[in-house]
Amino acid sequence: MKCKCCFSDNLIRGPYGIMRYYACKDCGLMFVPTEENEENNYLRENLETHYQDYDPHKSVADSKQDFFNSAMDHLSDRFTGQDKSILDVGCGYGYFLEKAKQRGWHASGVEITGIAVENAIKHNRGDDIFHGTLKEREFPDGTFDAVTLWDVMVMFPDLEPDLEECFRVLKGGGLLGIRVRNGFFQKLLFHLYRPVQGIAPRLGIKRPFVFHRYSFTSQSIYHLLKRTGFTEIRVLNSPLTKGDPYRHTGISGLVGAVKKAVDLISRITFKLSGGKIVTGPSLLIWAEKPLSGQH
């Protein structure tokens, strides 16, 4: 078995005692092997059930408004024409599509959760919203100026085929935007939470870390995108969400105060390292499809 991102065979089984995961000692990726995903309730219908019944989509979207505005500022500075087009993969209830439409973009989305698609269409949040996967939609080659993957890539059934499809539907010179939780930061939270996991629930503090089927580091995501054919890859600290939409704690103001401190530390670390060390809670990645469009 090899790493899904850097193809190294320098893997360890069961990092931190979580036996269904593997971890790459070279790039830092943590992942569940593809063949095991089916056995661990990661089927498409399980994802639909989760995001339909449990995900606090509205409060999460509200918390991401600064991030959405920042992303649209970046994209609108890059593409200034009248017919600019964007595809949001895993568009959910269409909140980012709505933001893109307001900024003059032709906004398309794909989403596997039926109730989210129905809601997005009902509220006219996008110009073209498809219920299904990107591959099932069968867009022509080179359709979009930009493709975005906001907090969805950790749930891809397999990484390379889905990214290759994003690459295919982008125009030459187009941009891919990705936001994922930072695996480095999630592992740090795991170690910080471990000594207090017995008393934390009694204090109203939920487990602060999460390991999805893929837990990326800045190095792992860089290797993956480069191998897929993308260039001009920039890995940054993502702007933080506001508030506590997942209600990790009932202690008023605690999450906000911690976020401000973490944001300051991550910005200082990033600057002092010349952009090489990215320690924030989430990674923001921009990558370009070459004008030639060739791998």
Side-chain angles (χ1 to χ4, degrees), residues 142-173:
T143 300
F144 298 100
D145 295 296
V147 173
T148 54
L149 301 163
W150 301 146
D151 300 297
V152 297
M153 199 168 139
V154 292
M155 292 298 184
F156 279 179
D158 206 2
L159 293 173
E160 203 158 1
D162 288 293
L163 279 177
E164 287 176 346
E165 190 69 2
C166 292
F167 188 93
R168 184 186 69 79
V169 302
L170 269 172
K171 299 175 182 178

Side-chain angles (χ1 to χ4, degrees), residues 167-181:
F167 188 93
R168 184 186 69 79
V169 302
L170 269 172
K171 299 175 182 178
L175 281 186
L176 176 71
I178 298 172
R179 186 181 188 269
V180 291
R181 296 192 184 193

